[in-house]
Amino acid sequence: MNYPGHLFVITAPSGAGKSSLVRALREHDAQVVVSVSHTTRPPRGQEQHGREYFFVSEAEFDTLVLADAFVEWAHVHHYRYGTSRHAIAEHMAQGSDVILEIDYQGALQIKRIFSDAVTVFILPPSWDELRQRLQRRGEDTGTVIEVRLANAVAEVAQVHQFDFVIINASFERALDDLRAVVRTQRLTYTAQCRAKNPAFKALQIGECVPHTAQEISWPVSP
Ligand code: 5GP
């Protein structure tokens, strides 16, 4: 099955600024849709069911796994997180650009399934800065911050597997970089031929010829 929209996967260690960047991207760009994942983690602060996440019990998550409802799922920081097929399939078929804000394990699973997915890793400028951001955020205890930093070392070690890397030293610059990645994908031959078909027709270029196979081969299990 061909899908007209793009699939972007954005990964970063906790505190690198991924959610703020994605939120700002969405404010600037009505064509992007952020997929809402399922998680067994309890809601934090003002989080709402169906907005930040679908908050489900361990048993409900098990049922979804058995029903093959997830295109990918992973254990992250003691909880399970998953992207449901339903969360992305419809938007992708409609031509929206779908963003998955997921960890590196999920990102690598997605890349194996959707070879055209664009993976972006957001790095903090330094470990000191990451520690300070986690402390300033005030959401976690000192022990939890140390766990997050230790996990971040393992996460960052996977950066070479990603298509793009953005260093979030300045928020505005990082947002500009993220917008550039999205814009670049919309300028490929395949994307332009789809989006600007009347112009291609007027120029008598002929039918759009996909130059890469965009097969969706859903996994049997994540
Ligand atoms: P948090 O609990 O802080 O919102 O998220 C913890 C981590 O889980 C983050 O790295 C986030 O990107 C990741 N995550 C959120 N949703 C998913 C998902 O559907 N799949 C995977 N693999 N990771 C996810």
Side-chain angles (χ1 to χ4, degrees):
M1 173 185 156
N2 276 347
Y3 53 94
H6 298 99
L7 184 58
F8 295 97
V9 183
I10 310 208
T11 297
S14 188
K18 175 182 55 167
S19 301
S20 309
L21 284 169
V22 170
R23 200 178 310 119
L25 174 70
R26 199 167 49 171
E27 280 163 15
H28 281 87
D29 190 333
Q31 209 179 318
V32 300
V33 175
V34 181
S35 159
V36 179
S37 296
H38 285 67
T39 183
T40 56
R41 160 170 89 59
R44 279 194 302 244
Q46 304 299 309
E47 287 181 337
Q48 284 177 20
H49 183 78
R51 193 178 64 183
E52 283 79 12
Y53 285 104
F54 293 103
F55 296 98
V56 294
S57 65
E58 292 288 347
E60 285 167 326
F61 201 96
D62 283 342
T63 305
L64 290 165
V65 170
L66 285 174
D68 203 18
F70 293 123
V71 62
E72 67 74 33
W73 69 270
H75 289 271
V76 191
H77 307 315
H78 311 303
Y79 296 106
R80 286 186 291 173
Y81 295 80
T83 305
S84 75
R85 297 162 194 278
H86 181 74
I88 61 173
E90 200 178 319
H91 293 305
M92 283 171 69
Q94 284 168 358
S96 298
D97 288 338
V98 178
I99 302 221
L100 307 183
E101 264 187 75
I102 61 179
D103 89 315
Y104 75 89
Q105 305 168 83
L108 300 181
Q109 288 182 58
I110 290 287
K111 189 71 182 185
R112 278 196 291 274
I113 300 159
F114 302 95
S115 57
D116 289 339
V118 178
T119 54
V120 182
F121 201 103
I122 298 175
L123 285 174
S126 68
W127 292 120
D128 272 353
E129 177 62 25
L130 187 64
R131 183 189 301 274
Q132 283 171 32
R133 285 183 191 173
L134 287 169
Q135 285 165 346
R136 275 200 299 270
R137 204 161 77 167
E139 275 178 8
D140 303 305
T141 61
T143 320
V144 171
I145 289 176
E146 290 315 311
V147 171
R148 288 191 185 274
L149 284 169
N151 289 340
V153 173
E155 287 160 2
V156 163
Q158 302 300 323
V159 66
H160 64 283
Q161 307 212 51
F162 283 68
D163 299 319
F164 292 96
V165 179
I166 294 175
I167 300 181
N168 186 8
S170 138
F171 184 82
E172 288 310 319
R173 178 63 201 263
L175 178 58
D176 200 40
D177 289 346
L178 185 56
R179 293 180 72 190
V181 169
V182 171
R183 188 144 182 248
T184 302
Q185 301 313 307
R186 291 178 183 158
L187 296 175
T188 61
Y189 160 77
T190 307
Q192 287 284 59
C193 199
R194 277 194 173 118
K196 302 281 162 41
N197 201 250
F200 276 65
K201 286 219 165 88
L203 292 165
Q204 298 170 344
I205 295 171
E207 290 303 307
C208 297
V209 184
H211 61 206
T212 53
Q214 294 187 310
E215 290 295 315
I216 291 187
S217 51
W218 300 107
V220 175
S221 57

